[in-house]
Amino acid sequence: MSRNFNDANDKEYKIGILGGTFDPIHNGHLMIAESAKKEYNLSKIILIPTGVSYMKTNVTDSFLRYEMVKLAAADLDGYEVSDIEIQREGNTYTCDTIAYFKETFPNAQLHFIIGTDSLFSLEKWRNVGYILSNCTILCATRPGEHETDIIKSRETEKANELSRKFNAKIKFIHCTPMDISSTDIRTFRKKNPDSDVHDLELPAAVADYINRQDLYDAKTEKIHTLLKEDLKPKRLKHTFGVVDTAVILAKKWGCNLENARLAALLHDCAKYLDTDVKCSLCAKYNVAISDIEKNNPELLHAKAGALLAYEKYGIQNNEILSAIFYHTTGKPDMSLLEQIIFVSDYIEPGRTHSDKLPQYRQLVLEDLNYITAAILRDTVKYLKKQADKDILIDPQTNKTYEYYKKFLNKKE
Ligand code: DGI
Ligand code: FE
Ligand code: FE
């Protein structure tokens, strides 16, 4: 009888490693992992999205691919996701990944899951000898490849050859792979932007995420490319978090989803502009700069952001521009979109600045006005505590707080 070992120090503990670009992860990947897990009695599977350099824009940003893999793994038993290759960004070598897991789980048996293509290119991999002496290779096959005896024997022959040369342990995963690829999914989505991604072979949570972020859409990809010129990786992550929250809130509270997504995507686009660039943008469009903004040019990224969204990103919708314009200070009686961006900016999943955030993330689905008021109360309190005398509260922030105060009640 087979049993799984739960202790990673046990010599029988078997780990399956499946790396990939996962752009996006789909049911075909999970089917291979699951087949390998069952057939070889693996205790756990570690999914590893490949790192890709930040400026390479023909692949979806690493953070988004990582989020999708986490969503795919969340409901599965015995799955983990590792960001080790994403952290390394760019040049990722399997030998380094294997070395890392060898060190983390010195006693475990590592199983590296590959496709047939990789079986034939394996020999060219960096430090292939090291890889093959430290893990078993589990090779999955693509549909059609086992159809003739000739192809079948080529695979077996290759496996035998590698076994002889490197003393490798190469085994086949006996499953019927699904006829699906990430490329097909991306292409289908581009050609049919209005179709439902839930009809594709994707885990439901991944399909939801693709919808919320509007991935694999030409317009979205254009904005992502431009944003990478304006934002650093950390700020882009925050931005994607704001998009995710804003779209969830837009759905919940009946706001236009496309507007919520665009306003969220662009809300911090001017975050890294030099002060003089922000000031000249404001001058060009006759936007007044208050004394407090003169002293805290950081605050100006909201106003300048709206102007940059108009100028560089071609956004002409006033509701979107206004949500960007007021996202830092808010304003009395905000529109639903303005309020959603203001709130999402504060509570997106990547934020950790307050212990109250988990509670706010729940309550916001019940009472948007209350959370708006609570955020303003916390922000005013935080700003008052700052020892730095230059940090003054913008009158606009105060006005907003005065307006929303009435929604505070005894919920906390
Ligand atoms: O751009 P983000 O960091 O994502 O978020 P944001 O645009 O809300 O800016 C947050 C910062 O702005 C935070 O440190 C608090 C600060 N802030 C908000 N209202 C005021 C303010 N700073 C000053 N000086 N005065 C304000 O009224
Ligand atoms: Fe901001
Ligand atoms: Fe922000």
Side-chain angles (χ1 to χ4, degrees), residues 235 238-239 242 267-268 271 301 327 345-346 348 351:
R235 183 59 47 180
H238 159 68
T239 294
V242 177
H267 83 282
D268 272 340
K271 195 75 180 175
H301 80 276
H327 86 262
D345 192 17
Y346 196 88
E348 61 97 359
R351 294 283 206 199

Side-chain angles (χ1 to χ4, degrees), residues 311-328:
E311 220 173 59
K312 172 168 174 171
Y313 294 84
I315 303 291
Q316 296 187 339
N317 179 316
N318 270 317
E319 287 180 47
I320 297 176
L321 296 176
S322 181
I324 301 172
F325 195 94
Y326 289 108
H327 86 262
T328 304

Side-chain angles (χ1 to χ4, degrees), residues 41-273:
N41 197 29
L42 307 176
S43 301
K44 77 168 160 193
I45 296 278
I46 303 176
L47 300 168
I48 311 178
T50 312
V52 172
S53 96
Y54 185 63
M55 292 313 287
K56 196 170 166 192
T57 51
N58 58 344
V59 179
T60 303
D61 181 73
S62 300
F63 172 79
L64 294 169
R65 291 182 294 109
Y66 179 54
E67 287 299 297
M68 289 191 279
V69 177
K70 281 198 291 187
L71 288 169
D75 293 335
L76 302 173
D77 224 23
Y79 282 70
E80 276 175 26
V81 185
S82 165
D83 64 355
I84 170 170
E85 297 202 355
I86 281 175
Q87 294 301 348
R88 269 194 246 130
E89 270 229 352
N91 291 339
T92 49
Y93 294 106
T94 298
C95 59
D96 296 334
T97 302
I98 298 294
Y100 171 82
F101 286 110
K102 199 77 208 140
E103 201 177 315
T104 314
F105 305 109
N107 295 322
Q109 297 175 22
L110 302 181
H111 292 69
F112 195 72
I113 301 168
I114 61 169
T116 317
D117 300 351
S118 301
L119 182 68
F120 290 94
S121 66
L122 203 60
E123 248 174 304
K124 296 197 203 88
W125 292 11
R126 178 185 274 225
N127 290 338
V128 62
Y130 173 84
I131 297 172
L132 294 177
S133 56
N134 283 290
C135 61
T136 302
I137 301 292
L138 300 182
C139 180
T141 49
R142 279 174 193 259
E145 286 176 358
H146 266 184
E147 273 171 19
T148 73
D149 283 349
I150 298 167
I151 293 178
K152 192 173 188 174
S153 64
R154 264 186 74 217
E155 288 170 350
T156 312
E157 237 170 60
K158 190 72 199 172
N160 290 341
E161 181 196 326
L162 291 168
S163 303
R164 276 195 307 275
K165 252 192 189 166
F166 298 98
N167 197 19
K169 292 181 285 299
I170 297 174
K171 297 175 180 173
F172 288 97
I173 304 166
H174 298 94
C175 61
T176 314
M178 295 169 68
D179 188 11
I180 178 88
S181 74
S182 300
T183 312
D184 291 345
I185 291 172
R186 294 196 304 270
T187 310
F188 180 84
R189 173 110 169 128
K190 283 224 174 79
K191 284 195 188 140
N192 310 278
D194 297 326
S195 64
D196 187 352
V197 269
H198 287 92
D199 294 339
L200 303 174
E201 286 290 351
L202 293 161
V206 174
D208 287 342
Y209 194 77
I210 290 174
N211 274 339
R212 290 202 295 278
Q213 297 282 352
D214 197 27
L215 301 180
Y216 313 116
D217 167 90
K219 198 172 152 200
T220 305
E221 286 179 357
K222 175 102 193 290
I223 297 179
H224 287 190
T225 303
L226 291 173
L227 269 180
K228 287 186 176 214
E229 294 170 3
D230 288 328
L231 303 181
K232 296 179 185 165
K234 205 176 131 203
R235 183 59 47 180
L236 190 64
K237 255 194 217 181
H238 159 68
T239 294
F240 290 140
V242 177
V243 171
D244 204 29
T245 302
V247 173
I248 289 171
L249 293 185
K251 243 184 216 152
K252 168 74 198 175
W253 296 110
C255 180
N256 180 294
L257 302 188
E258 172 82 355
N259 289 354
R261 186 181 309 111
L262 286 171
L265 257 180
L266 298 175
H267 83 282
D268 272 340
C269 69
K271 195 75 180 175
Y272 298 106
L273 288 187

